[in-house]
Amino acid sequence: MTAPAHPSYTSGISNTPLLGDTIGANLERTTATHGDREAMVDVPSGRRWTYTQLLADVDALAKGLMAKGVVAGDRVGIWSPNCPEWTLLQYATARTGAILVNVNPAYRSHELTYVAQQSGMRMLVSATTHKTSDYRSMVEEVHPQVSSLTEIVYIGDSSWDDLVAAGGAVTDEELAERGAALTPDDPINIQYTSGTTGFPKGATLSHHNILNNGYFVGEMIAYTEQDRICIPVPFYHCFGMVMGNLAATSHGACMVIPAPSFDPVATLDAVVQEQCTSLYGVPTMFIAELDLPTFADYDLGSLRTGIMAGSTCPVEVMKRVVAEMNMSEVAISYGMTETSPVSTMTRMDDDLARRTETVGRSMPHIETKVVDPVSGVPLPRGEAGELCTRGYSVMLGYWEQPDKTAEAIDDARWMHTGDVATMDEHGYVNIVGRIKDLVIRGGENVYPREVEEFLYTHPSIADVQVIGVPDDKYGEELMAWVVLTAGAESLTAQEVRDFATGKLAHYKIPRYVHVTQEFPMTVTGKVRKIEMRERAGEILGRE
């Protein structure tokens, strides 16, 4: 009788216990130990904070929120590219028990309207402008449509100063009382993730979720108070605010902001100027840095580690990052917003093959399994199935969408990722596909249904299907297949882009448009997107 095959299941063992703090209490603890150490540097403005100064500014802002009537559980939105005020608000909301609602800086007015209404947003803290975005005009358009939104604050504007000044009426004792009433399991953050229904879902995360995930990410790459982390990834993602900010503050390390949004020159300049020991990015960011004509001029000797995540990490890029950027201890991580975000991660002593061909193994205190997507039974090692994870990191649920939560998290609290994966005999996971038609463009997740719902509003489009097609720069690009309305003679990609610009985030706008009479269908009338992807290469003149 042969022994049964090992099931595709692992749990991340650890001698290090989970943190039982709130985010505010953890920041206090770090400040008590490392108060004189540098906590945050904003390279563009030259502003710097020690931990003592950071906590003081966080608390001044927290008191301002309380003075404006913000109570625990109120939703406070942040709509801005990376800046110190983003980080200050992240910790100030945590100190008061308000729920921070992350709004993607690439969103436009109709997307802002949706998340503000769906979250019941009470206050919005917004940038005024960035690149081509005029946030103020969009906020003024949206504000009257959202009945819950009673307070607008602009960063760098007198309204920000007024918010901080208002805190003078709140005592230290009142702030301490508020903090003492909070628990680690309170919801503290809502992050909107694109949904197959056509609208984003608000993944609701607790102190316990994101503080511990940030802490253990830092543990995996051996952060101490000596580390300085260059964070060119956006704060509105877990990559920036959890793996960046919370990993730093839970270890007494320094957060370095190289620019409001990713710029390869600014990033490497910041690494050199601030002697950063760690650098984050999605693969396209590292590619852009390595491809700079002046790359050889940068002395990156201070670097030792970092994280590459967001999409599949090409082997050759990883090899160059290790060899040419001095990042011998760089890690790969896998996760999703709903799991705070990291579920699996490579270890510093993993060989290059494991760091390039897998997404690592279970994080400490996290369980991982690969199951038959129909039966839910764990599959033998090496067989492909749906990846599921369970542990402290699984979100509380989708904000006010219990039906959607039940679709994603089963009765045993397993998060069903929708990704197809295999697990080897040592517990290393390899992502081999996606059950749903998620497109990952340059680290941004795009669900075609959301884009399709919008494109249906175009007067010349009778029917539309959106797919992802391979792209050398972004990993994938969007391609829309459209059936025209009667009377419409043609539709170009540029016309679609013009129609969507200012209404859809730029990364959701299809690069390619293919006009067709009909879509490939199954005998039961379902669209065959797999065939569309196969035919796309021929249509676009590629292999």
Side-chain angles (χ1 to χ4, degrees):
M1 182 176 175
T2 58
H6 285 294
S8 294
Y9 168 89
T10 62
S11 61
I13 58 173
S14 177
N15 293 323
T16 305
L18 290 165
L19 301 176
D21 293 336
T22 61
I23 290 168
N26 185 260
L27 182 61
E28 279 190 45
R29 198 182 309 281
T30 298
T31 303
T33 309
H34 303 294
D36 292 338
R37 294 201 68 86
E38 210 157 54
M40 180 165 64
V41 176
D42 182 49
V43 176
S45 69
R47 291 178 289 169
R48 296 174 180 272
W49 287 258
T50 63
Y51 269 97
T52 298
Q53 292 165 337
L54 179 70
L55 182 59
D57 281 2
V58 164
D59 283 357
L61 183 57
K63 291 176 181 177
L65 294 174
M66 292 173 63
K68 293 289 187 180
V70 173
V71 300
D74 276 352
R75 275 74 70 201
V76 176
I78 175 71
W79 193 28
S80 167
N82 289 10
C83 62
E85 289 79 7
W86 207 113
T87 301
L88 294 174
L89 189 68
Q90 175 185 345
Y91 289 87
T93 49
R95 293 285 272 170
T96 62
I99 300 174
L100 185 70
V101 180
N102 299 11
V103 184
N104 188 331
Y107 273 3
R108 291 298 178 261
S109 54
H110 89 285
E111 294 154 316
L112 174 64
T113 303
Y114 176 77
V115 300
Q117 288 176 333
Q118 204 276 330
S119 67
M121 192 182 290
R122 159 80 183 277
M123 175 189 284
L124 175 63
V125 178
S126 175
T128 53
T129 59
H130 177 63
K131 293 185 175 177
T132 60
S133 296
D134 183 347
Y135 293 114
R136 193 187 293 267
S137 67
M138 287 188 278
V139 170
E140 289 171 356
E141 176 190 339
V142 168
H143 191 187
Q145 303 175 50
V146 184
S147 58
S148 62
L149 190 55
T150 58
E151 195 91 34
I152 305 292
V153 176
Y154 291 105
I155 295 168
D157 176 271
S158 59
S159 57
W160 174 272
D161 298 331
D162 292 345
L163 173 61
V164 175
V170 177
T171 66
D172 290 345
E173 290 72 25
E174 288 171 317
L175 178 59
E177 283 176 20
R178 175 73 68 90
L182 307 178
T183 78
D185 294 320
D186 291 339
I188 204 61
N189 186 215
I190 298 175
Q191 299 200 29
Y192 280 87
T193 177
S194 293
T196 52
T197 59
F199 295 103
K201 302 188 291 287
T204 307
L205 305 168
S206 67
H207 295 268
H208 193 66
N209 288 148
I210 60 177
L211 175 59
N212 276 291
N213 205 257
Y215 174 68
F216 279 100
V217 164
E219 289 289 287
M220 290 298 94
I221 46 181
Y223 279 160
T224 71
E225 70 276 9
Q226 304 293 331
D227 281 293
R228 299 174 68 80
I229 309 165
C230 184
I231 310 174
V233 294
F235 289 153
Y236 77 87
H237 267 172
C238 277
F239 201 170
M241 68 165 283
V242 178
M243 299 161 69
N245 292 348
L246 285 168
T249 60
S250 59
H251 289 86
C254 181
M255 303 166 280
V256 176
I257 305 170
S261 57
F262 176 65
D263 177 293
V265 172
T267 299
L268 295 187
D269 283 346
V271 169
V272 174
Q273 174 187 310
E274 297 300 325
Q275 290 293 285
C276 294
T277 59
S278 178
L279 173 61
Y280 288 3
V282 300
T284 51
M285 292 180 177
F286 284 105
I287 291 167
E289 290 153 10
L290 289 161
D291 286 349
L292 284 174
T294 56
F295 175 75
D297 298 336
Y298 288 96
D299 179 358
L300 303 179
S302 62
L303 287 174
R304 69 166 181 89
T305 190
I307 299 174
M308 194 186 299
S311 59
T312 306
C313 303
V315 176
E316 292 307 312
V317 176
M318 272 294 285
K319 287 178 179 175
R320 289 192 66 192
V321 167
V322 169
E324 300 174 41
M325 301 184 78
N326 203 49
M327 293 169 62
S328 60
E329 298 173 4
V330 66
I332 298 291
S333 67
Y334 162 83
M336 58 196 306
T337 305
E338 291 89 338
T339 55
S340 302
V342 181
S343 299
T344 69
M345 191 167 170
T346 58
R347 303 321 198 243
M348 291 193 301
D349 57 356
D350 283 341
D351 58 35
L352 192 61
R354 283 192 170 134
R355 279 195 279 169
T356 54
E357 296 167 13
T358 80
V359 292
R361 49 195 169 94
S362 294
M363 289 283 283
H365 305 288
I366 301 287
E367 297 172 272
T368 308
K369 66 178 179 178
V370 177
V371 303
D372 181 304
V374 177
S375 69
V377 174
L379 295 167
R381 300 282 175 114
E383 289 193 23
E386 184 178 18
L387 183 66
C388 300
T389 65
R390 181 169 68 178
Y392 74 83
S393 62
V394 175
M395 66 175 178
L396 299 177
Y398 292 118
W399 183 258
E400 295 192 339
Q401 289 188 292
D403 55 332
K404 299 301 178 187
T405 303
E407 291 172 11
I409 302 172
D410 65 27
D411 291 342
R413 290 292 296 170
W414 284 99
M415 178 74 207
H416 289 252
T417 68
D419 284 319
V420 181
T422 60
M423 182 184 293
D424 72 14
E425 58 182 317
H426 301 290
Y428 285 83
V429 174
N430 183 29
I431 306 297
V432 295
R434 293 183 292 280
I435 292 174
K436 298 172 183 174
D437 291 316
L438 173 69
V439 178
I440 302 180
R441 181 194 180 277
E444 294 281 3
N445 290 356
V446 183
Y447 281 92
R449 179 71 181 273
E450 183 184 1
V451 183
E452 290 161 1
E453 293 285 351
F454 173 76
L455 292 180
Y456 276 122
T457 66
H458 192 288
S460 297
I461 294 177
D463 203 355
V464 58
Q465 295 289 326
V466 172
I467 59 171
V469 295
D471 183 77
D472 290 340
K473 183 175 181 181
Y474 293 106
E476 290 182 289
E477 271 285 6
L478 295 180
M479 180 182 189
W481 288 43
V482 299
V483 175
L484 299 179
T485 55
E489 295 181 359
S490 66
L491 185 66
T492 66
Q494 187 59 51
E495 288 170 331
V496 170
R497 283 194 288 272
D498 291 344
F499 177 74
T501 297
K503 299 172 187 169
L504 273 186
H506 67 87
Y507 62 85
K508 299 177 187 175
I509 299 175
R511 180 175 177 184
Y512 306 107
V513 172
H514 172 60
V515 176
T516 184
Q517 303 264 311
E518 59 186 8
F519 304 126
M521 311 282 274
T522 66
V523 289
T524 56
K526 293 182 180 177
V527 176
R528 295 197 72 241
K529 286 198 171 183
I530 188 167
E531 184 178 333
M532 292 168 64
R533 284 190 285 266
E534 290 167 354
R535 287 170 52 185
E538 180 183 337
I539 293 165
L540 298 174
R542 303 176 183 172
E543 288 294 325

